[in-house]
Amino acid sequence: MSHRANKRLRRKPPQAYIQISAAEEKFFQQAMRNSKVDTKRPDGKLEVPYAPSFFPTIADMEGNPLDYVEKIRPQAQKYGICKIVPPRGWSPPFCADMQSKKKFQTKEQLLHRLQEGISFGDGKEYTAAEYQKSTSERAKEWKMKHYPDHDFLIQHAGSLAKDGKLEESNRKMMTPQNLERDYWNIVETHTQELSVDYGNDVDTTSFGSGFPLSERGRSIQGTKNREKQDLKEPKFGESDYYKETWWNLNNIPCAPDSVLRHLRVGINGINVPWMYFGCLFSTFCWHNEDNYLYSINYHHRGAPKQWYGIPGTKRDAEGLEKVFKRYLSMKMRDVPDLLHHITTMFSPRLLQNDDVPVYKVVQYPGEYVITFPMSFHGG
């Protein structure tokens, strides 16, 4: 060995080690423990069975939605979540003011850090039109970068099916299934940094709920027209039907047999609906409803919306909480009510690894999603 080489080997590094804080050391040890537990991540493929979909009749849609939910509950509750698809002819007017100059605050979500339980910072403020324009442009950019052949393949889907090439082509299309894979690749692998602005809990007194307001005193924000009080119930599809149907989310809290009709004041998210402005990869993190209430969501317009749910049993709810405590034990030591912050998203795969059953729903415009008491859900 030459004298020069020997000297090179004896050279000391400028710094023996990098000193880290006690908090960083705790998180490092937590990550090491998690890595020993989570050893089964597949190549982006996620196998989550679908929750059931239900198809009410026109007669059901002219009745009380609480009666319909009670009718399907014995089957649907086992999944914690389900989809309700109204019959042909269902076409409520979209009554949110998309041209309003009022702005709403968004939350900035860092997708690559959703598993860490960190709080969301404030995103930009938008008008409804600004948000739609900005998020549509970002979705188009994602399509051009990751699915450049999408439009061509859609146009030629018929001939591809005849040639038996449709399944192969599906992998190159911007479908809900492929976007689900993209999403979890970002969340779980941290291979890229990506943030989105999510317009959650938007006040419907300012922007509207998307549904028209009752003129028969059936909603907190509606009016009472004495001339209409004694009229017959409007039939499915008639001009007043969408204002007065109990399936209108403004009205359902006051439906017959609803305990919420006894509330004398409006409470957002309880007897007054929230409005949500979502976009590609915006996330509503794992949570269940306050006081273990049901929840009902209606998709007015836009792209399909991905949901996950677990049954609302004590065993399965505790199973999800156990996974949270295992992967975020240090964080939950400092923030015991972390689940109530609704800022953490874990892959269904981690729950499945712990034998917690998970089901999914893809909700399209014009469809409802119901979650059942105590059921954790996110998407």
Side-chain angles (χ1 to χ4, degrees), residues 238-249:
E238 291 181 354
S239 59
D240 274 2
Y241 169 76
Y242 295 107
K243 292 180 184 178
E244 308 304 337
T245 175
W246 298 115
W247 288 88
N248 178 326
L249 294 197

Side-chain angles (χ1 to χ4, degrees), residues 7 15 46 48 54 132 141 232 280 286 301 368:
K7 187 175 182 180
Q15 188 173 355
L46 188 65
V48 180
F54 296 90
Q132 184 175 25
E141 290 171 4
K232 291 182 179 179
L280 179 64
W286 286 111
R301 64 197 305 188
Y368 292 91

